[in-house]
Amino acid sequence: MADSPYPKHAVRPLVGRFLATYWLETPLALKQAAALIAGEQSSGTFVSVPGETEELKNRFAARVESVRQEAIVRCPSLPGCCVQENRRPTRFHTGTVTISWPEENVGHNLAALISTVQGNLYEIAQVSGVKLLDLTLPDSMLQEFPGPKFGVIGSRKAVQVEDRPLIGTIIKPSVGLTPDVTAELVRTLIEAGVDFVKDDELMANPPHSPFEVRCQAIMRVVNEVADKTGRKIMYAANISDEWDAMRRHYDTLVSLGGTCAMLSINAVGPIAAKAICDFGQLVIHGHRNGFGMLHRHPALGIDFVAYQKLARLIGVDQLHVNGIDNKFWEPDDSVVRSIQACLAEQSGQRLLPVVSSGQWGGQAFETYRRTQTVDLLYMAGGGIMAHPRGPAQGVRAIQDAWSLAVAGYSLDQAAKKSQPLAEAIAKFGK
Amino acid sequence: MADSPYPKHAVRPLVGRFLATYWLETPLALKQAAALIAGEQSSGTFVSVPGETEELKNRFAARVESVRQEAIVRCPSLPGCCVQENRRPTRFHTGTVTISWPEENVGHNLAALISTVQGNLYEIAQVSGVKLLDLTLPDSMLQEFPGPKFGVIGSRKAVQVEDRPLIGTIIKPSVGLTPDVTAELVRTLIEAGVDFVKDDELMANPPHSPFEVRCQAIMRVVNEVADKTGRKIMYAANISDEWDAMRRHYDTLVSLGGTCAMLSINAVGPIAAKAICDFGQLVIHGHRNGFGMLHRHPALGIDFVAYQKLARLIGVDQLHVNGIDNKFWEPDDSVVRSIQACLAEQSGQRLLPVVSSGQWGGQAFETYRRTQTVDLLYMAGGGIMAHPRGPAQGVRAIQDAWSLAVAGYSLDQAAKKSQPLAEAIAKFGK
């Protein structure tokens, strides 16, 4: 390689390849469509150009690693699919393909990595469906993206809770409460027994509840209780904001003894979110609002498995996964897969799955049956505040539900063992 | 309002409302579905909670402003749509609805605005289709988000081009060229007559072409030519990277006399992108790679009209719109609408539409016929570099195409007037 024209700036050999797996639907052979994507997303353009030498192609081209054929369908999932002009295809191959890229195409650059695995490829006319299913980085890249700093273990340690899910709640109503009223509500919730309180994603830094004022009011309560009981609950303050403001909020939170900041990952975006995570002083609660836009159609966007991999590269510690029997569109199977994806170890860390949406404790049984884990942050909003006998009984109902679920009881059996749970069932159950 | 419990932190009265228009598909009456979204995205939760007073609801609740019914369809576009358990709806109303929010719900906070208009609402089970079509901010908010600093006029001024589209090109192959080879290629392109050169979105800061080294090599060429000819072409260097690196790249570019930086908006994300735009020293070239993921399905995501509004809030000056007869999936009608959206004035500024994808000059005729504008950055990659008689004739062909299109010639007529264009037609035409 003495004659290599490439400068020697790399401090380590960049020999690894990163892999992305896609679900595709295409009138072409799957392998051919995958090759098109590989070309578009590495050195190709629509005609050959000078400079595109064989050496360069060999070194930098993306490669199709594997193809797995599934069904053939008759109807395209996405519009605009076209292979030959004036010919409408009538048979579409579906299946998964894995494409790999040399890590030296992107270096240590999350934005370049994202543009490579989920850039223009969604525009390709020769596919009628494309969804990013998974993303695998070589160890050499993972060393540069160490991922969550706190994860499951760090989150548990901060609130001193072992062997059961962390019980959390969202401050509701989302918008409109003054800082003082909010702080009093947080006092009620802490006294009710929660481990974790968070701002709604719609509550950030509005003039009627400026971040600093609200954070001071709430952390005063959190710290007071901690001084009394020796246990500080986690307040995930929503720092999502413009860059300078977000940094200021982070510092405010640290200076007030906060332990956790919440980010709306999609609204903030990968790079600012990563820069915040990189500060490393606070557990980061990753809210996925807007994920439905990227995920709800089965033939387009990104699957949660790939999404949580990106969230790890960003460095979040806790990530929303929706919940069993949720009020949204998502089926339980998908929620279970998301929980499992978060709890898989990567670089020695696991993401804490944040279970939420219409939860009140009754779903503990099915959640535990299907995931066999208590490594969860189990969030209930209305399920706590609207319990017929008040928030303390709301928390108690959820705690009882979880301990009885783990002990092997069904919901019906558990209702006979716990009065607060029986009351929750009467109000929230079907 | 003497007894108002709300603190008086706002420096200006926050009386405006911002509006979002959605296309919806739902088994409910459109108005009812819109009211659900309004509730979910302001003060609602799945049960009533204490604190959700009438006063608070009146002040902070989102409001359905208008509803326009379209067709009724039989088949849901998105999965998971459900209104009543165990009942599959069979009739779905479609149409557009406009929802408004008080600006005091979000304050001056782009992340909170995004979470409000494109957050959890995509998850709502009662809709089987939801797409954000448009976003309208009151003047009071627009004052805080002034939008593009340079836009069409600033971009033209920087390259001293009036009365015709800026002709631009993308450095290809995307990855693999060394900085020195890249700079020589840029020299060829400048000598060929382009006004604008950009990095590919896949080329950012890899070890084989580190940003600083590449930028030095290219800007040396750009400055040399500028010293000779008195005209500095625009090099849109792709600064997309992690936050600290991106800031460093920006400063490098400024110090080398650069005039334009490119950002992959979706890969970088709104907040870091806005922070970069706010520096205000460089024209920002907004690349939309990944937009297909947000846009390609007609019943999900975000339409370009709303997307370019968000891009303006971020502050980009130039925005990709694809091109007529492009190599991707997008139909021409959609491209035309995108160009028109960019060229609408907001806060006294217009975005410069970046036309690209398989362009070689032949599309100038239809582009001009349908948009009647030359306020475009017309990008050709292969169309310039792969012209049979070299890049200078490639640029000449495009310039000829545009001046003949504006003069009212058809492509066939124009071919007889311009030899370089005739040669381009022979190679790239159908």
Side-chain angles (χ1 to χ4, degrees):
Chain A
M1 291 290 281
D3 292 337
S4 169
Y6 298 102
K8 283 150 197 72
H9 299 277
V11 291
R12 56 177 179 79
L14 291 168
V15 295
R17 298 180 77 85
F18 58 94
L19 288 86
T21 300
Y22 300 92
W23 182 87
L24 293 184
E25 183 186 284
T26 173
L28 301 178
L30 278 175
K31 194 177 168 178
Q32 204 183 343
L36 259 172
I37 293 175
E40 177 71 29
Q41 295 306 108
S42 58
S43 56
T45 184
F46 83 111
V47 287
S48 284
V49 290
E52 199 182 356
T53 61
E54 279 310 305
E55 186 212 343
L56 188 147
K57 273 202 250 188
N58 288 338
R59 183 162 163 186
F60 297 99
R63 204 159 67 196
V64 180
E65 298 286 348
S66 68
V67 171
R68 211 190 60 199
Q69 189 85 35
E70 291 167 9
I72 288 174
V73 297
R74 295 283 170 184
C75 193
S77 297
L78 297 176
C81 183
C82 165
V83 175
Q84 246 186 307
E85 210 163 8
N86 299 326
R87 274 235 193 149
R88 275 190 109 154
T90 53
R91 281 165 58 91
F92 300 85
H93 302 273
T94 70
T96 58
V97 303
T98 297
I99 296 171
S100 76
W101 288 261
E103 60 175 314
E104 69 170 334
N105 285 30
V106 301
H108 176 195
N109 183 335
L110 182 59
L113 178 64
I114 293 174
S115 282
T116 301
V117 300
Q118 51 178 15
N120 271 344
L121 58 98
Y122 295 98
E123 309 278 1
I124 291 174
Q126 293 88 345
V127 299
S128 55
V130 49
K131 190 159 202 160
L132 177 61
L133 298 183
D134 202 356
L135 183 63
T136 307
L137 302 193
D139 287 344
S140 48
M141 283 179 93
L142 288 176
Q143 276 165 30
E144 294 193 333
F145 295 105
K149 189 173 175 190
F150 300 98
V152 173
I153 292 170
S155 297
R156 283 200 176 282
K157 205 168 152 192
V159 292
Q160 304 170 40
V161 170
E162 300 292 333
D163 305 326
R164 63 166 177 83
L166 278 62
I167 310 295
T169 190
I170 309 121
I171 298 165
K172 295 275 182 188
S174 320
V175 286
L177 299 179
T178 65
D180 288 344
V181 172
T182 311
E184 279 317 298
L185 184 57
V186 170
R187 188 188 298 279
T188 304
L189 291 162
I190 301 178
E191 287 172 353
V194 298
D195 308 307
F196 178 102
V197 177
K198 70 179 267 294
D199 288 322
D200 192 273
E201 79 274 14
L202 300 174
M203 169 52 62
N205 186 28
H208 69 275
S209 184
F211 182 87
E212 196 176 338
V213 181
R214 182 174 79 250
C215 199
Q216 277 168 349
I218 291 176
M219 284 309 301
R220 190 179 306 126
V221 170
V222 170
N223 289 326
E224 265 175 37
V225 176
D227 288 345
K228 231 186 290 177
T229 63
R231 191 170 82 96
K232 186 187 272 188
I233 67 115
M234 197 172 252
Y235 164 50
N238 182 14
I239 65 171
S240 307
D241 206 327
E242 318 262 325
W243 174 246
D244 286 336
M246 197 153 59
R247 266 194 323 181
R248 211 164 50 235
H249 302 334
Y250 190 98
D251 291 343
T252 299
L253 200 45
V254 170
S255 73
L256 294 168
T259 55
C260 181
M262 164 172 153
L263 287 177
S264 287
I265 302 172
N266 303 311
V268 167
I271 297 309
K274 178 164 192 297
I276 292 289
C277 293
D278 283 348
F279 292 152
Q281 292 179 275
L282 298 169
V283 172
I284 301 295
H285 180 88
H287 200 294
R288 71 177 201 183
N289 64 82
F291 178 63
M293 183 167 67
L294 310 171
H295 173 244
R296 186 160 174 182
H297 198 281
L300 183 64
I302 180 169
D303 187 74
F304 185 84
V305 171
Y307 185 78
Q308 58 89 28
K309 291 265 183 93
L310 285 172
R312 288 173 192 243
L313 301 184
I314 288 168
V316 309
D317 297 289
Q318 309 177 343
L319 185 59
H320 280 241
V321 294
N322 212 335
I324 293 287
D325 196 14
N326 61 77
K327 65 173 174 166
F328 291 134
W329 75 276
E330 193 179 358
D332 291 350
D333 285 356
S334 172
V335 175
V336 168
R337 282 203 315 127
S338 298
I339 292 172
Q340 289 163 343
C342 287
L343 289 174
E345 208 169 285
Q346 180 173 295
S347 303
Q349 276 289 22
R350 297 180 305 144
L351 285 176
L352 183 65
V354 181
V355 173
S356 71
S357 178
Q359 302 291 304
W360 51 273
Q363 299 97 329
F365 300 87
E366 183 69 1
T367 308
Y368 186 72
R369 187 184 72 77
R370 298 197 56 179
T371 64
Q372 295 289 308
T373 189
V374 292
D375 282 337
L376 301 169
L377 169 50
Y378 188 83
M379 302 287 294
I384 289 174
M385 283 308 288
H387 189 279
R389 284 203 294 138
Q393 294 304 305
V395 174
R396 185 63 195 276
I398 294 170
Q399 286 174 339
D400 285 355
W402 272 99
S403 62
L404 291 162
V406 172
Y409 289 83
S410 71
L411 177 61
D412 288 343
Q413 292 163 342
K416 290 170 196 147
K417 291 267 172 189
S418 161
Q419 182 62 20
L421 181 57
E423 288 159 353
I425 295 170
K427 174 142 189 190
F428 306 118
K430 279 163 203 156
Chain B
M1 291 291 281
D3 292 337
S4 169
Y6 299 102
K8 283 151 196 71
H9 299 277
V11 290
R12 55 175 180 81
L14 292 168
V15 295
R17 298 180 76 85
F18 58 94
L19 289 86
T21 300
Y22 300 93
W23 181 87
L24 293 184
E25 183 186 284
T26 173
L28 302 177
L30 277 176
K31 192 177 169 179
Q32 204 183 344
L36 259 172
I37 292 175
E40 177 70 29
Q41 295 306 108
S42 59
S43 57
T45 183
F46 82 112
V47 288
S48 284
V49 290
E52 199 182 357
T53 61
E54 278 310 305
E55 187 213 344
L56 187 147
K57 273 202 252 188
N58 288 338
R59 183 162 163 187
F60 296 97
R63 204 158 69 196
V64 181
E65 298 287 347
S66 69
V67 171
R68 210 191 61 200
Q69 189 86 35
E70 291 166 9
I72 287 174
V73 296
R74 296 282 170 184
C75 193
S77 297
L78 298 176
C81 183
C82 165
V83 176
Q84 246 187 308
E85 209 163 8
N86 300 325
R87 275 237 193 148
R88 276 190 106 154
T90 53
R91 280 165 59 91
F92 300 84
H93 302 274
T94 70
T96 59
V97 303
T98 297
I99 297 171
S100 76
W101 288 260
E103 60 175 313
E104 68 171 334
N105 285 30
V106 301
H108 177 196
N109 183 335
L110 181 60
L113 178 64
I114 293 174
S115 282
T116 301
V117 299
Q118 52 177 14
N120 272 344
L121 57 98
Y122 295 97
E123 308 279 1
I124 290 174
Q126 292 88 345
V127 299
S128 56
V130 49
K131 190 158 201 158
L132 177 60
L133 298 184
D134 202 356
L135 182 64
T136 307
L137 268 48
D139 286 344
S140 48
M141 284 179 92
L142 288 177
Q143 276 166 31
E144 294 192 334
F145 295 105
K149 189 173 174 191
F150 301 96
V152 173
I153 292 169
S155 297
R156 282 200 177 283
K157 204 168 152 191
V159 293
Q160 304 169 40
V161 171
E162 301 292 333
D163 304 326
R164 64 165 175 83
L166 278 63
I167 310 294
T169 191
I170 309 121
I171 298 164
K172 297 272 181 188
S174 322
V175 287
L177 298 181
T178 64
D180 288 343
V181 172
T182 311
E184 280 316 299
L185 184 56
V186 170
R187 186 187 298 279
T188 303
L189 291 162
I190 301 178
E191 287 172 353
V194 299
D195 309 306
F196 178 103
V197 177
K198 71 178 266 294
D199 287 322
D200 192 273
E201 79 273 14
L202 300 174
M203 169 52 63
N205 185 27
H208 69 276
S209 184
F211 182 87
E212 196 177 337
V213 181
R214 182 174 78 250
C215 199
Q216 278 169 350
I218 291 176
M219 284 309 301
R220 190 179 306 127
V221 171
V222 170
N223 289 327
E224 266 174 37
V225 177
D227 288 345
K228 231 186 291 177
T229 64
R231 191 171 80 96
K232 187 188 270 189
I233 67 115
M234 197 172 253
Y235 163 49
N238 183 13
I239 65 170
S240 307
D241 205 326
E242 319 262 324
W243 175 245
D244 285 337
M246 198 153 59
R247 268 195 322 181
R248 211 164 50 234
H249 302 334
Y250 190 99
D251 291 342
T252 299
L253 200 43
V254 170
S255 74
L256 294 168
T259 56
C260 181
M262 163 173 154
L263 287 177
S264 287
I265 301 172
N266 302 311
V268 166
I271 297 308
K274 177 163 192 301
I276 292 290
C277 293
D278 284 348
F279 292 150
Q281 293 178 275
L282 298 169
V283 172
I284 302 294
H285 180 89
H287 200 292
R288 70 176 201 184
N289 65 82
F291 177 62
M293 182 166 70
L294 310 171
H295 173 246
R296 186 161 174 181
H297 198 281
L300 183 65
I302 180 168
D303 187 74
F304 185 84
V305 172
Y307 185 77
Q308 58 88 29
K309 291 266 183 92
L310 285 172
R312 287 174 192 244
L313 301 184
I314 288 168
V316 308
D317 297 289
Q318 309 178 342
L319 186 58
H320 280 241
V321 295
N322 211 337
I324 293 286
D325 195 15
N326 62 77
K327 63 172 175 167
F328 291 134
W329 75 276
E330 193 178 358
D332 290 350
D333 285 355
S334 172
V335 175
V336 168
R337 283 203 315 127
S338 297
I339 291 172
Q340 289 164 342
C342 287
L343 289 174
E345 208 169 284
Q346 180 173 295
S347 303
Q349 277 289 22
R350 298 180 305 144
L351 286 175
L352 183 64
V354 181
V355 173
S356 71
S357 179
Q359 302 292 304
W360 51 272
Q363 299 96 330
F365 301 87
E366 182 69 1
T367 308
Y368 186 71
R369 188 184 71 80
R370 298 198 56 179
T371 64
Q372 295 290 308
T373 189
V374 291
D375 283 336
L376 302 169
L377 169 49
Y378 188 82
M379 302 286 295
I384 290 174
M385 284 307 289
H387 189 280
R389 283 203 295 140
Q393 295 303 305
V395 173
R396 185 64 196 276
I398 294 171
Q399 286 173 339
D400 285 353
W402 271 99
S403 62
L404 291 163
V406 171
Y409 289 82
S410 71
L411 177 61
D412 288 344
Q413 292 163 341
K416 289 168 197 148
K417 291 267 170 189
S418 161
Q419 181 64 20
L421 181 57
E423 288 159 353
I425 294 170
K427 172 141 191 191
F428 306 119
K430 278 163 204 157

